Amino acid sequence: MTWSARAISPIKRTSIAAGIAGAALLSAVIGDARADWPERQITFIACFPPGGGTDIAARLVAIPLGEMLKVPVIVENRGGAGGNIGISAAKRAKPDGYTFLVCSSAFVVNPSLYANPPYDPKDFAPVMVLGASPNALVTPAQSEFKTLGDLIAKAKPNPGKLNWTSPGAGTTPYLAGELLQERADIKMVHIPFQGAGPALTAALGGQVDMYTAALGSLQPMIDAGKLRGLAVTATKRWTDLPNLPTLEEQGIHDAASDTFQGIFAPAGTPQPVIDRMVKELTAILARPDIRDRFAKSGLPVTAEPPDAFRARIAREIPMYKQIVDKAGLKIQ
């Protein structure tokens, strides 16, 4: 049976009109609520412990962002499992614009590296890449190894006798170390720590033979003579560390990599909220004082907006999968 508009009684037409008006009012209320965002504290979940590149990047923008939004922006460190613990926590957060994930390139590595990753990249909406920097390979200042060649010469005839560490098994510094071993035909034992902070402490204390991490977290220690740089994973030498040779210069070919630090929103976060975040972050990252602080931390500002960030993710996930598969790496 079909019904025409004339077949609907006046009372029913009034009810339908009221329903439409109510829906319009609800939509307006929701729109106003989003327009009023934020109304309370915002949390950045940094997926690595304090002291590493992710933590540094999060804190560099948290304070100025809070000033611009007129609400506190706090950094909550959730380290462990190569970043997966923090990523999982952010995934479970309500997508209301009050919780964001700050993560490194581990985000694009973990889906291939882990046998059962606790997230899908589609669980998040990319907001902005704050910056990207190459990785560096260092050794304790008191180490017998003066150059990368010294370390390779000792490791090659002694497989499994030297050890090394990284910020976590799901990070690009970890892959940089694995790539070094593959390219140089050496085998060292990886010592796992729950993030860059504890790993850095071990390196400073001479508990490991080599440490790989984002250059941003290592440059101050190299400058202070507390760690000795062996190589940078960039395609050319780093401007602020002109004496640190590249891997390519030392005969380690096709091993260049970088580590980005970016902000993500749980999928479903209202687009107006993301747009506002992009607007404020773009303004913050354009400030000379903020750019200078990022540069001094070894993380040059890139300020890649959502579209560029999305393209980076689409490009790097298969790239790292190829590296992981070729090296035979898989974490259960």
Side-chain angles (χ1 to χ4, degrees):
M1 179 181 296
T2 59
W3 296 88
S4 68
R6 280 180 287 186
I8 301 176
S9 69
I11 293 177
K12 288 184 177 180
R13 284 200 297 271
T14 302
S15 299
I16 292 171
I20 294 173
L25 177 61
L26 178 60
S27 177
V29 169
I30 293 173
D32 288 344
R34 291 176 182 175
D36 290 340
W37 177 92
E39 298 177 302
R40 54 186 170 85
Q41 173 183 293
I42 294 171
T43 298
F44 279 175
I45 295 179
C47 64
F48 291 98
T54 300
D55 179 64
I56 291 171
R59 294 179 189 280
L60 281 175
V61 297
I63 292 177
L65 182 62
E67 293 171 348
M68 296 184 78
L69 295 177
K70 296 181 171 52
V71 296
V73 179
I74 67 165
V75 177
E76 181 180 317
N77 297 92
R78 297 280 193 97
N84 282 338
I85 290 177
I87 298 173
S88 297
K91 172 187 172 181
R92 294 192 300 269
K94 186 177 180 180
D96 56 5
Y98 291 96
T99 303
F100 293 86
L101 169 69
V102 184
C103 189
S104 69
S105 297
F107 184 88
V108 293
V109 173
N110 289 3
S112 300
L113 186 64
Y114 285 83
N116 297 294
Y119 70 97
D120 186 293
K122 294 179 182 178
D123 293 329
F124 294 89
V127 177
M128 179 162 287
V129 176
L130 303 175
S133 70
N135 300 303
L137 284 59
V138 299
T139 195
Q142 64 271 35
S143 170
E144 65 181 283
F145 306 122
K146 307 300 181 185
T147 67
L148 182 62
D150 292 342
L151 183 142
I152 292 173
K154 182 69 175 288
K156 186 162 290 189
N158 297 287
K161 296 295 179 65
L162 300 185
N163 59 43
W164 67 289
T165 191
S166 69
T171 63
T172 53
Y174 170 80
L175 292 181
E178 290 289 352
L179 273 175
L180 169 67
Q181 294 184 88
E182 180 188 354
R183 299 289 193 267
D185 191 25
I186 60 175
K187 183 61 179 175
M188 300 185 293
V189 177
H190 182 259
I191 307 298
F193 288 97
Q194 289 192 350
L200 176 61
T201 299
L204 291 170
Q207 299 171 25
V208 293
D209 295 303
M210 186 184 77
Y211 175 39
T212 64
L215 185 57
S217 62
L218 295 178
Q219 185 170 334
M221 301 300 170
I222 296 174
D223 288 339
K226 296 180 179 180
L227 292 173
R228 181 181 299 125
L230 299 179
V232 62
T233 65
T235 55
K236 59 182 180 180
R237 295 197 181 199
W238 196 246
T239 302
D240 294 333
L241 292 170
N243 295 323
L244 185 61
T246 67
L247 288 170
E248 189 76 24
E249 288 178 298
Q250 301 181 83
I252 309 299
H253 306 299
D254 300 322
S257 64
D258 71 5
T259 297
F260 72 73
Q261 302 293 348
I263 297 179
F264 304 80
T269 299
Q271 190 60 45
V273 170
I274 293 177
D275 292 343
R276 177 81 185 280
M277 280 286 288
V278 171
K279 175 184 175 182
E280 304 299 355
L281 287 168
T282 300
I284 289 168
L285 294 172
R287 286 168 42 179
D289 62 320
I290 297 295
R291 297 181 74 89
D292 183 60
R293 290 175 192 172
F294 268 88
K296 286 181 177 178
S297 76
L299 185 72
V301 167
T302 57
E304 295 176 20
D307 287 347
F309 196 178
R310 194 173 293 107
R312 173 190 277 269
I313 292 170
R315 179 178 67 252
E316 293 191 358
I317 286 178
M319 179 186 76
Y320 282 115
K321 183 180 188 307
Q322 183 179 18
I323 295 173
V324 167
D325 291 348
K326 186 174 182 180
L329 305 174
K330 189 65 70 174
I331 298 175
Q332 299 298 323

